[in-house]
């Protein structure tokens, strides 16, 4: 197993698993909205430097609380730029704690799993093995 890891900030660790074609982004602590947005920009740059990194595992269990404003930023601003920056569809598997499943109650957001345009597909998991299997089935 070959991995390439980078701790890009004190709140985010990125690991590239070329054997699986996955980038794992692990939030290391709760973040502010500004840190969250900066972290996703770091992830995007990291994915751009890896070959065939269209599967992302986002471990959000340590973020504690999911903010609806951050979710809207992801869906309305960040996700639509993925194909433009990376040139391909991206699959995002969010790993969350069971108590986080109901954090965002917003009827304007589509239920998961969901495909956003031609740029990304998003799913949510509480089990890392299931998340990795879902991502590997998208390769």
């Amino acid at each position: 197993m070959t991995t390439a890891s980078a701790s890009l900030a004190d709140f985010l660790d990125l690991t590239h698993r070329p054997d699986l074609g996955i980038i794992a982004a692990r939030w290391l602590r709760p973040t502010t909205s500004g840190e969250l947005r900066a972290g996703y920009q770091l992830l995007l740059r990291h994915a751009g430097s890896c070959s065939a990194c269209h599967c992302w595992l986002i471990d959000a269990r340590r973020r504690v609380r999911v903010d609806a404003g951050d979710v809207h930023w992801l869906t309305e601003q960040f996700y639509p730029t993925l194909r433009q920056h990376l040139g391909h569809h991206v699959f995002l598997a969010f790993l969350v704690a069971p108590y986080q499943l109901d954090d965002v109650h917003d009827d304007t957001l589509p239920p998961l799993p969901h495909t956003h345009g031609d740029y990304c597909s998003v799913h949510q998991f509480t089990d890392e093995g299931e998340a990795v299997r879902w991502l590997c089935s998208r390769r």
Side-chain angles (χ1 to χ4, degrees):
M1 171 180 81
T2 304
T3 64
S5 182
S7 184
L8 299 173
D10 72 330
F11 54 86
L12 181 65
D13 181 69
L14 299 177
T15 303
H16 177 216
R17 291 282 312 266
D19 57 324
L20 297 176
I22 293 174
I23 291 181
R26 298 189 189 276
W27 297 101
L28 303 175
R29 63 169 171 78
T31 58
T32 65
S33 288
E35 289 171 331
L36 176 97
R37 294 168 192 209
Y40 275 101
Q41 295 301 327
L42 291 170
L43 173 56
L44 181 60
R45 284 195 297 277
H46 190 67
S49 70
C50 301
S51 63
C53 286
H54 64 275
C55 293
W56 298 2
L57 174 68
I58 312 292
D59 185 348
R61 293 174 294 183
R62 291 187 185 144
R63 286 205 43 241
V64 182
R65 186 171 113 32
V66 178
D67 180 88
D70 292 334
V71 173
H72 279 279
W73 174 81
L74 283 168
T75 60
E76 296 168 8
Q77 295 181 38
F78 182 75
Y79 294 160
T81 69
L82 292 175
R83 182 174 285 281
Q84 171 190 348
H85 288 287
L86 300 175
H88 51 73
H89 193 89
V90 177
F91 296 90
L92 298 97
F94 282 86
L95 184 59
V96 297
Y99 70 87
Q100 292 171 310
L101 289 172
D102 296 322
D103 269 3
V104 178
H105 299 283
D106 189 331
D107 292 335
T108 66
L109 296 171
L112 297 178
H114 183 74
T115 296
H116 295 273
D118 68 345
Y119 42 87
C120 75
S121 296
V122 179
H123 205 342
Q124 186 170 264
F125 301 87
T126 57
D127 179 87
E128 187 162 348
E130 288 179 26
V132 169
R133 280 189 291 281
W134 181 79
L135 288 170
C136 287
S137 72
R138 300 321 188 247
R139 291 177 48 181

